[in-house]
Amino acid sequence: MNSLIGARAGSLSSLGPVRALVLVLGLLLLAGCGGGGDDPPAQSTPPSTPPVSGQAGSEVPASGPPLGFPVFATKNTTRVAGGDALADAAGIALATYPARTTERPEAVVLAEARGWQTGIAASVLAAKPIRAPILFADGDTIPDATKAALDALRPTGSKAAGGAQVIRVGTKAPAEGYKTTDIPAAASPAALAAAVDRLQTAAVGSASPAVVVVSSDHPAYAMPAAAWAANSGTPVLWVTPQGVPPETDEALKAHKGAAIYVIGGEDAVPEPVFDALGKRGTVKRIAGADPVSTAIAFARYSDGAFGWSVVDPGHGLVFANARRPQDAAAAAPLSAHGKYGPLLLLGDDAGALPQSLQDYLLDIQPGYDDATPPVRGVYNHGWIIGDESALAAAVQARIDTLLEIQPVETGAK
């Protein structure tokens, strides 16, 4: 396990965007592959040292490595250790577009951070054809972390988005020097999500054949939808416990009988709301007993071309705390570039690995035998989102072991 690296991110303004971006490449280089190892106890314990807090999006620390450089990396995991979603989004954007020339994004999403539904709905814009990383505005202002990332990314302009370099969603924050297109703040999450869907549909040239529907009142159940939206281009639309908002109903009409996938159990989307959705298409529910197990159920799920179907080894995975719903949007680009992994959730306790998540990781853990040595094996890798207030170092260590390729007896799994 690597030793602790740079608890606080350095001043991007003092480093300059070029040097900062070069140093951020270390984030990717630290994401290594694993060999064999002894299995630690199943129950993780809190770290003996105080948790390390990450840089917040509004901070400009005095010295150290730049935003996005992991506080802590292991053989099979890499952490983006922001103190909040604004910082996480900036670091992830730089990780998914690390090059200064050939790999610049065409556009960047600038989403309002104060409503968690905004970022999750906007995550679909990270999919083809726009493929925009997500950054956050704080109301109508640009946080330091966001500005530094935007200056380093220097988006080139998206033909699919009318040449826009910055797509502002729910904010009027200034993006000086960039061509913008706007999805203005709306009266409800449903109205804003429908507007995002219209932009994505126009960019693609046709409506998606599938739609994900989640509850605007239950953030933890909605979080996994952001990763899938970014990966597949499937829009995220909202319902409430009281019913289907008219803006969502109109959006479903525009998709003309698309398959509708509801994420969450009846506590999130009650059965009468589920039945009402059936008037607009075939509806299927993906649910577990709680948000953690629901995220796992979605990671396993497949229905034709829809779903991750991560039921075997050899995948990228993203881990976030259910208390931080905006981290789902911040992390969405990781599911649209590179390892294309589903989002998995920890519960409210940053120091505990839920048993259902541990069991799932054991189920998809890679193995090798004499006939297939580890150098010919497949590997899992995990992105850890947030500082130690989101996920403790001891839990990260346990996840690292559960992702690591292990020796198995011939004929065994």
Side-chain angles (χ1 to χ4, degrees):
M1 186 179 297
N2 294 352
S3 58
L4 198 65
I5 304 172
R8 292 262 175 185
S11 171
L12 287 170
S13 57
S14 62
L15 285 170
V18 173
R19 184 182 171 202
L21 195 54
V22 169
L23 289 176
V24 166
L25 292 175
L27 197 160
L28 297 181
L29 295 176
L30 284 172
C33 295
D38 293 333
D39 197 12
Q43 179 61 44
S44 60
T45 57
S48 57
T49 56
V52 174
S53 297
Q55 176 187 332
S58 58
E59 294 176 347
V60 184
S63 62
L67 180 71
F69 201 89
V71 164
F72 194 65
T74 66
K75 303 178 297 300
N76 306 292
T77 69
T78 308
R79 185 192 289 262
V80 181
D84 58 21
L86 284 73
D88 286 333
I92 289 164
L94 292 171
T96 51
Y97 286 97
R100 298 192 300 277
T101 54
T102 59
E103 216 178 340
R104 289 161 57 194
E106 293 182 355
V108 167
V109 167
L110 185 60
E112 209 292 299
R114 297 184 184 184
W116 61 266
Q117 300 95 337
T118 300
I120 290 177
S123 295
V124 71
L125 302 176
K128 296 177 181 178
I130 300 174
R131 297 177 69 85
I134 311 292
L135 296 175
F136 284 119
D138 183 9
D140 289 333
T141 63
I142 301 284
D144 293 328
T146 298
K147 184 180 187 306
L150 182 58
D151 289 346
L153 291 166
R154 295 182 296 122
T156 60
S158 171
K159 183 178 179 181
Q165 295 165 284
V166 175
I167 302 170
R168 297 188 294 191
V169 182
T171 179
K172 296 179 181 179
E176 297 177 3
Y178 296 99
K179 182 178 180 180
T180 63
T181 192
D182 291 344
I183 299 174
S188 68
L192 187 137
V196 171
D197 179 36
R198 289 192 293 271
L199 176 60
Q200 174 68 6
T201 297
V204 173
S206 61
S208 168
V211 172
V212 170
V213 173
V214 287
S215 172
S216 60
D217 288 13
H218 292 270
Y221 282 113
M223 289 174 70
W228 179 248
N231 177 275
S232 65
T234 304
V236 178
L237 300 177
W238 302 104
V239 294
T240 70
Q242 291 72 42
V244 181
E247 297 88 351
T248 296
D249 191 55
E250 287 300 314
L252 292 172
K253 288 179 184 178
H255 285 268
K256 296 179 181 178
I260 301 169
Y261 297 90
V262 171
I263 300 178
E266 290 187 41
D267 54 335
V269 180
E271 199 64 25
V273 180
F274 182 89
D275 292 341
L277 290 168
K279 297 176 182 178
R280 300 299 175 203
T282 302
V283 188
K284 298 182 180 180
R285 189 190 294 271
I286 306 165
D290 53 38
V292 173
S293 58
T294 295
I296 295 168
F298 192 25
R300 291 183 179 276
Y301 189 82
S302 66
D303 183 26
F306 182 93
W308 294 104
S309 190
V310 176
V311 294
D312 50 10
H315 298 281
L317 304 166
V318 184
F319 298 87
N321 191 302
R323 286 187 289 104
R324 292 172 54 156
Q326 285 288 36
D327 274 347
L334 296 173
S335 299
H337 302 265
K339 295 185 172 69
Y340 301 92
L343 178 69
L344 299 170
L345 299 179
L346 280 82
D348 291 344
D349 186 354
L353 182 65
Q355 186 64 48
S356 58
L357 181 54
Q358 177 171 275
D359 291 346
Y360 174 62
L361 296 179
L362 283 168
D363 193 42
I364 64 169
Q365 187 171 36
Y368 69 92
D369 55 26
D370 293 340
T372 307
V375 71
R376 302 298 178 197
V378 297
Y379 296 87
N380 291 337
H381 175 264
W383 286 96
I384 308 297
I385 309 303
D387 62 9
E388 289 194 61
S389 70
L391 194 150
V395 177
Q396 182 178 2
R398 177 60 181 157
I399 290 173
D400 175 81
T401 297
L402 293 168
L403 297 177
E404 189 167 352
I405 190 168
Q406 298 285 345
V408 296
E409 295 181 5
T410 302
K413 180 181 175 184

